[in-house]
Amino acid sequence: MNGISVSPTARTVADYLADLDRGDVSVNSEYQRSGKVWPVHAQAFFIETILLGYPIPKLSLHLFTDIKARATKKEIVDGQQRTAALSSFRHGKLRLRKRPEIPDLGGLGFEDLPDEFKERFLSYLLPIDHFVGATAGQVRQIFRRMNSYTAPLSPEEKRHAEYQGELKFFILDLT
């Protein structure tokens, strides 16, 4: 991968979404799939993960110079579904699950959250890798490699991830 450098960084959700809203972060539909792959419950679960302060996978962005605009642009290489969930929640198109892990937040949208949780969401630091100096072909190769061998969760793994509570942890302790 001659000429490519990877620069790890972090941005707050607020700053990242401002870049997205301005058009400074975009999706290349030539190789990216639809931004509506994740079902609503997966998107809401992701938002809860952020509100709980848990780590999330890195976003990967290709940084390049747009000569016409005379500006640096960012193109999503990996993280389109996460980006769509962040934007949908912030713009009132997504609500939390009815049974979230955080008491009293069930079914709420961003504007309905107590200020403490709005702050948690907006100030959460997103881990981001910037790819600098990559050609369009190299970016497609990176995307293909990142997405070639993802293994879907088995039904048991999905149940284990979705259902929480005292009974589950009691049974785990017994085993």
Side-chain angles (χ1 to χ4, degrees):
M1 293 203 326
N2 196 13
I4 297 175
S5 67
V6 179
S7 176
T9 189
R11 298 278 308 222
T12 65
V13 168
D15 289 341
Y16 182 70
L17 291 178
D19 285 352
L20 186 69
D21 291 343
R22 271 193 315 274
D24 292 341
V25 173
S26 64
V27 174
N28 186 332
S29 57
E30 291 178 16
Y31 65 88
Q32 287 275 5
R33 54 191 178 174
S34 164
K36 303 202 183 269
V37 174
W38 275 9
V40 172
H41 68 275
Q43 293 177 52
F45 192 77
F46 173 70
I47 299 301
E48 287 175 24
T49 301
I50 287 173
L51 292 174
L52 288 164
Y54 295 153
I56 63 167
K58 287 183 189 179
L59 301 170
S60 298
L61 305 177
H62 174 216
L63 265 64
F64 62 95
T65 302
D66 181 339
I67 300 298
K68 290 180 186 175
R70 297 178 187 207
T72 300
K73 297 290 184 172
K74 302 168 193 97
E75 188 176 271
I76 299 169
V77 177
D78 189 56
Q80 181 184 191
Q81 306 307 314
R82 285 166 274 157
T83 298
L86 292 167
S87 182
S88 291
F89 184 66
R90 174 60 191 93
H91 294 296
K93 298 175 186 169
L94 176 67
R95 301 180 87 64
L96 296 173
R97 299 176 308 148
K98 294 289 183 193
R99 294 182 313 147
E101 292 182 39
I102 306 168
D104 304 323
L105 297 187
L108 297 182
F110 177 79
E111 290 300 330
D112 305 319
L113 290 176
D115 287 346
E116 169 192 352
F117 289 97
K118 287 179 185 173
E119 164 72 20
R120 280 190 199 184
F121 177 75
L122 293 172
S123 65
Y124 184 89
L125 285 176
L126 299 169
I128 300 172
D129 275 346
H130 287 153
F131 302 140
V132 182
T135 66
Q138 289 170 320
V139 169
R140 283 179 178 78
Q141 180 71 276
I142 293 167
F143 174 81
R144 184 183 68 81
R145 290 180 171 278
M146 286 179 153
N147 291 285
S148 287
Y149 293 103
T150 57
L153 295 175
S154 69
E156 178 184 352
E157 291 168 321
K158 287 179 184 176
R159 285 189 302 273
H160 180 67
E162 182 175 348
Y163 297 106
Q164 307 298 317
E166 291 180 34
L167 179 61
K168 173 186 170 179
F169 295 110
F170 173 75
I171 292 170
L172 285 172
D173 287 342
L174 286 178
T175 60

